[in-house]
Amino acid sequence: MTMLEHLTTLSHMNMLPVAKQAAILKALTEGASIRSTARMVGVSKTTVLRLLVEVGGLCAIYQDHKLRNLPCRRIEADEIWAFVGAKQRHAKRTGDGDIWTFTALDADTKLMVTWLVGQRSGENAHAFMHDLHSRLVKRVQLTTDAFTPYISAVEGAFGWQGVDFSQLVKHYTGEPTGRYSPPICTGVTRQTVMGNPDPAHVSTSYVERANLGLRMNARRFTRLTNAFSKKVENHAHAVALHFMVYNFCRSHGTLTKAKKGIHMTPAMAAGITDHVWTVEELVGLMNPKRLLAA
């Protein structure tokens, strides 16, 4: 679906003032739940969900279009867990249970290049890597975690010796001390899979930090709450909205410091835009004329 085709399917959300739409989106991307957002802004839960679906869908299409021909040199990939409807052991409905978001980040510009929401499977690993490869114009150094399907997925997408690829294998000891207290990481092994990766840049630290931001700023990723996603589709819309705000609207501390205080977003560092977007500007994409200009 193209961006304009998506707009033709939208409801008349533009009847809601831009300031109120922006307030809803700001709340949703700062860790507020659907219900708390509705209470703070003074709208119904249905209105919040409808705006999430409409803007989230547009954010996914817009970034799919814009995040192309990227001159990245170092990519870090990882996955972040959540669940839909119920945790896997309690899932009863089709579609409920574990849900994973594959993420790929440019280590230099901190741009979230691409992501995929789905099961942590070999099939999705292949789809994720093919999509990543389609967005790049140069040979890159790629680091992933130790998820085994990545090996064949990277080879299938980039070709043998078409990428400098390493996996970061973490080693753990001991038993979990609580519900979300995993065993202690005692060290890592950097395993070269293909090409000639620079050992100094074999890391997933930046993408893991970006994933932490997703968990903190998207309420449905927050552990031990009842704000989890009830539908896979809404989960995907929330992810797309988060990464739109992350890439275009939120200045990045490391990038801003490197520019001596000039506020920089990942999209600016990657040369995709020339300024920090406001959330109101994001809402403006719902206008077809503005969308074509962007």
Side-chain angles (χ1 to χ4, degrees), residues 141-208:
Q141 175 162 332
L142 172 65
T143 306
T144 71
D145 60 19
F147 187 43
T148 302
Y150 276 139
I151 297 175
S152 61
V154 172
E155 181 181 357
F158 291 84
W160 182 252
Q161 297 295 331
V163 63
D164 299 311
F165 174 39
S166 288
Q167 287 191 305
L168 194 72
V169 183
K170 296 181 179 180
H171 305 289
Y172 297 91
T173 187
E175 296 295 330
T177 58
R179 179 177 288 184
Y180 292 114
S181 298
I184 299 171
C185 180
T186 58
V188 298
T189 300
R190 295 171 172 82
Q191 294 183 349
T192 297
V193 181
M194 63 185 74
N196 186 33
D198 182 350
H201 296 304
V202 176
S203 172
T204 57
S205 296
Y206 290 131
V207 70
E208 288 178 13

Side-chain angles (χ1 to χ4, degrees), residues 67 69 89 102 133 147 170 178 259 271:
L67 304 182
N69 301 313
R89 63 180 178 272
F102 292 75
H133 180 256
F147 187 43
K170 296 181 179 180
K259 285 292 184 178

